[in-house]
Amino acid sequence: MTNSWIQRLPRWTLAVPPLAFVDLLVTWHRDLSPFLLTLVCLGLGAAVIAAVHHAEVVAHRVGEPYGTLILALAVTIIEVALIVTLMASGGEKAASLARDTVFAAVMITCNGILGLALVVGSLRHRVQEFRVQASYSALTVMTALVTLSLVLPTFTTSAPGPRFSSAQLAFAGVTSLVLYGVFVFIQTIRHRDYFLPVRADDDSDVDDEDDHAAAPSTRTALLSLGLLFVCLIAVVGLAKTVSPRLESAVESAGAPLAVVGVVIALLVLLPETVAAVRAALRNRLQTSVNLALGSALASIGLTIPAIAVASIWLSGPLVLGLDGKEMVLFALTVVTAMLTLATGRATLLQGAVHLAVFSAFLFLAVSP
């Protein structure tokens, strides 16, 4: 973050939201030629990046840990909107889309984002520190949410297949929302100090530019908030426009439809990945951990309740239960994260292990 965008928003961040919205109006309900498809993809990517940029502006206004929370919520709103939109138009083919996208988000955040942040941070600073209380709290809630929402449906018997009955889905949705709400209360009010960046002993290793830079004005923050909503609308609409071509491409390549969920999660989490890496390079690993685990929590804690409500009017089935391969990957992720977060200090080796698990997830998604 620099004074240039704090004092005045960059021109591209002002131009992208309306241009992406115009892109949506031009391509809505039209057969996409190669040119229009390229236009949609460019608009979608630019809108996601602009959305997270405006979330960062608002976040800098309210401070930490509210900043990482706003960023996680913005990304998750995009993800939830994409899932519900694609499920509404996908029929039975989209039955497992919510499960695939949420599980992909968990693997991307807990292995991809966290592992990449650990690697790049350790390469620059050798050893980085973070707060065990915050990290273990987030990991505990994340483990419970994934188990209750994505593992249990495989073993319940009230509905056929790896599915919840209506009552079970309602219970999972309410439980997810309550647990996430309690976590947010702990993060922002009761134990806010747990989630603040750790000060390094050597101040020269820490980039304090964000601390000393003036916060954006209220007018700038409100403008960014409005542009953020415009970006979210554009992202949802453009994703719905491009989804048929994405599914056709996946089917033509002979890959499982679960790859669609992985692509969606990778798309919406890409800007957050950049934010986590930037924080690690500034020796703010706690911020990176907050972003990674906070995004995983928001993804589950908000997506499952949204899907539970949307299931009232969604006509197709809703498959939430993970298969055996995915359960093994999730168990490996939890054990690896527990060992990584146990000491409050991270090195290159721990990051490499997380990236290895993430690589296994990507490989098995394409070649199950």
Side-chain angles (χ1 to χ4, degrees), residues 132-186:
V132 176
Q133 304 97 317
S135 306
Y136 253 53
S137 298
L139 181 63
T140 300
V141 178
M142 188 272 294
T143 304
L145 286 179
V146 173
T147 303
L148 291 173
S149 301
L150 301 182
V151 176
L152 273 183
T154 304
F155 301 98
T156 55
T157 57
S158 297
R163 298 165 54 191
F164 273 146
S165 66
S166 298
Q168 291 168 340
L169 181 59
F171 174 80
V174 171
T175 302
S176 298
L177 196 59
V178 169
L179 280 178
Y180 182 66
V182 173
F183 174 78
V184 170
F185 172 73
I186 294 298

Side-chain angles (χ1 to χ4, degrees), residues 28-52:
W28 185 254
H29 283 316
R30 295 185 60 178
D31 292 332
L32 298 182
S33 64
F35 172 76
L36 288 179
L37 179 61
T38 302
L39 193 64
V40 168
C41 292
L42 290 175
L44 182 59
V48 170
I49 295 173
V52 178

Side-chain angles (χ1 to χ4, degrees), residues 105-154:
V106 171
M107 298 303 292
I108 291 168
T109 53
C110 295
N111 289 311
I113 295 179
L114 183 59
L116 187 59
L118 291 175
V119 167
V120 299
S122 298
L123 287 175
R124 171 172 287 190
H125 304 286
R126 296 182 66 84
V127 177
Q128 291 188 291
E129 297 183 355
F130 54 89
R131 302 183 190 276
V132 176
Q133 304 97 317
S135 306
Y136 253 53
S137 298
L139 181 63
T140 300
V141 178
M142 188 272 294
T143 304
L145 286 179
V146 173
T147 303
L148 291 173
S149 301
L150 301 182
V151 176
L152 273 183
T154 304

